[in-house]
Amino acid sequence: MARVLSGIQPSGIMTIGNYLGALQPFVQRHATDECVFMIADLHALTVPQHPDVVRARTIDAVAMAVACGIDASRAIVFVQSHVMEHALLSWILTTMTTMGELERMTQYKDKGQGQVSVGTGLFVYPVLQAADILLYDTDIVPVGDDQRQHIELTRDIAKRCNQKYGDMFVVPQGQYVDRGTRIMSLVDGRRKMSKSDASEGAYIGLLDTPDVVRRKIGRATTDSGKDIVVDWEHKPEVSNLIELFAACTGQMSAHIVAQYEGVGYGAFKRDLAEAIVACVQPIQQTYARIRESGMVQQWMDDGAQRARSIARQTVRRVTERIGLVPGDGHLGV
Ligand code: TYM
């Protein structure tokens, strides 16, 4: 049985990109593996946020993770800041990471671009993510393609620590799905679909109503032609809509291309919108039931307790190897 871990920042209502690229593949491993899912609230603090917004979004994210199919009684679902070992291991790993490695991270470059001063949290963000993963002796990390660089860094840090201190960490592997690992913005096919995009038309939120989905897909950027073909270089937006269609319905892109040959964008977009509605509606119904049930706090508490018991063992192993004196409290001894 592999240990599988993934996480999401509570930085807005999850998008269909989050679902298809990460949540759905994570849920598919439930039956066979030991699954750990984390709401990365400490990561969300790396960009300015109102405290009330962080609080509300964290709770929304737990409810949404479960609505997407994560079974909180089977998988461990928890909030990152509830397990203090993340911050401790993150600091230890920071001492094992170079400036050069972090400077090469594209997410830091993108998010920091144009800012007069960039917070150090944004800079060391990938180290905290490495701690999230290594704390749980994780084998597999199902994530979208945009996380590839962070997973590679985590592997490098783990290998470096293992070389220096003997086998300290499991070296994890990223898992990237074939369809849906990189859903792009609906208005700019060269940018990732993101829940923090300033333009709502750029993404499909998992709570978007059928009418909103239809409107957003209807207005999604295409081009002046009418060919429905996968051509990422010349037709990134249409290629993205085909990819989205394929990921929502579990079909191959080639099948969709063949089906809509010579049909034009109108009918294609109408069917795509209905496919998205069919994908998100069951999630919305479950989400509404969860919000009424008042179960979220109990899941968070239970998840934190179970996560902590694994994290503490790792911290004990790590601190001993690197020479920190065992003590009360933070070392969990
Ligand atoms: P976040 O919150 O940006 O996204 C959560 C997950 O959704 C995937 N994803 C996408 N997949 C396909 N197409 C898209 N347009 C798209 N947008 C997002 C992301 O790749 C991710 O898998 N740093 C992480 C959160 C995190 C984490 C971790 C993940 C913190 N610690 C440890 C895995 C393991 C993040 O910001 O994800």
Side-chain angles (χ1 to χ4, degrees):
M1 204 194 243
R3 183 167 289 152
V4 179
L5 177 140
S6 199
I8 190 161
Q9 284 191 74
S11 48
I13 291 295
M14 286 184 206
T15 70
I16 193 139
N18 296 132
Y19 178 67
L20 298 171
L23 268 296
Q24 193 182 47
F26 180 87
V27 168
Q28 281 164 355
R29 302 200 68 119
H30 260 52
T32 47
D33 298 301
E34 193 185 346
C35 291
V36 182
F37 193 83
M38 181 186 60
I39 309 305
D41 57 345
L42 296 176
H43 276 113
L45 298 182
T46 55
V47 292
Q49 307 249 23
H50 191 282
D52 291 341
V53 173
V54 181
R55 231 182 320 269
R57 284 181 171 172
T58 300
I59 291 168
D60 290 348
V62 176
M64 188 52 94
V66 175
C68 285
I70 299 180
D71 175 352
S73 62
R74 203 183 155 99
I76 299 176
V77 181
F78 75 102
V79 175
Q80 186 183 30
S81 65
H82 293 179
V83 181
M84 282 189 269
E85 283 73 8
H86 288 251
L88 177 59
L89 184 63
S90 177
W91 174 254
I92 293 170
L93 299 184
T94 305
T95 67
M96 315 240 183
T97 310
T98 65
M99 295 284 287
E101 282 176 310
L102 296 181
E103 275 161 358
R104 282 193 290 278
M105 294 290 123
T106 51
Q107 181 173 298
Y108 157 71
K109 286 195 224 163
D110 292 349
K111 285 198 180 169
Q113 216 172 35
Q115 289 185 34
V116 184
S117 96
V118 181
T120 48
L122 208 51
F123 189 62
V124 295
Y125 178 115
V127 185
L128 177 58
Q129 183 160 349
D132 298 339
I133 297 168
L134 299 180
L135 257 185
Y136 297 92
D137 292 336
T138 304
D139 300 298
I140 310 281
V141 191
V143 278
D145 187 68
D146 61 317
Q147 298 298 313
R148 211 177 267 271
Q149 220 188 8
H150 293 164
I151 307 300
E152 286 311 311
L153 177 70
T154 304
R155 288 168 55 81
D156 290 345
I157 296 173
K159 287 183 202 159
R160 187 173 310 149
C161 292
N162 287 351
Q163 225 164 26
K164 191 163 175 193
Y165 296 106
D167 276 350
M168 195 146 94
F169 293 122
V170 171
V171 180
Q173 278 197 334
Q175 179 200 327
Y176 312 94
V177 281
D178 295 338
R179 280 160 288 187
T181 196
R182 196 167 179 74
I183 303 291
M184 308 308 280
S185 153
L186 297 178
V187 294
D188 177 356
R190 291 186 169 79
R191 274 191 304 130
K192 184 188 77 159
M193 180 184 281
S194 167
K195 52 182 146 36
S196 40
D197 202 305
S199 154
E200 276 198 22
Y203 61 85
I204 301 284
L206 289 182
L207 293 181
D208 282 352
T209 62
D211 282 348
V212 170
V213 171
R214 289 178 194 122
R215 197 175 63 236
K216 287 183 179 176
I217 293 298
R219 289 185 186 160
T221 310
T222 44
D223 54 55
S224 51
K226 64 181 185 109
D227 292 341
I228 295 163
V229 289
V230 179
D231 176 352
W232 285 100
E233 198 186 337
H234 302 103
K235 290 163 133 330
E237 284 89 8
V238 174
S239 305
N240 182 46
L241 295 182
I242 296 170
E243 172 101 0
L244 183 53
F245 206 151
C248 274
T249 55
Q251 299 180 77
M252 304 296 289
S253 307
H255 180 80
I256 290 163
V257 169
Q259 199 180 337
Y260 288 94
E261 200 185 339
V263 168
Y265 293 148
F268 168 71
K269 280 182 158 186
R270 260 195 310 278
D271 291 354
L272 169 58
E274 295 318 310
I276 294 173
V277 169
C279 177
V280 298
Q281 255 182 347
I283 297 173
Q284 295 177 356
Q285 285 157 3
T286 315
Y287 182 79
R289 274 204 305 277
I290 288 171
R291 295 315 308 248
E292 270 173 30
S293 76
M295 286 294 288
V296 173
Q297 187 67 45
Q298 198 176 316
W299 289 331
M300 287 194 295
D301 292 346
D302 177 56
Q305 204 176 357
R306 291 160 68 202
R308 218 175 282 133
S309 75
I310 303 173
R312 284 193 168 165
Q313 289 176 35
T314 310
V315 160
R316 205 171 303 164
R317 182 173 77 226
V318 171
T319 50
E320 190 186 81
R321 294 273 175 91
I322 65 175
L324 300 183
V325 175
D328 209 358
H330 71 286
L331 296 186
V333 180

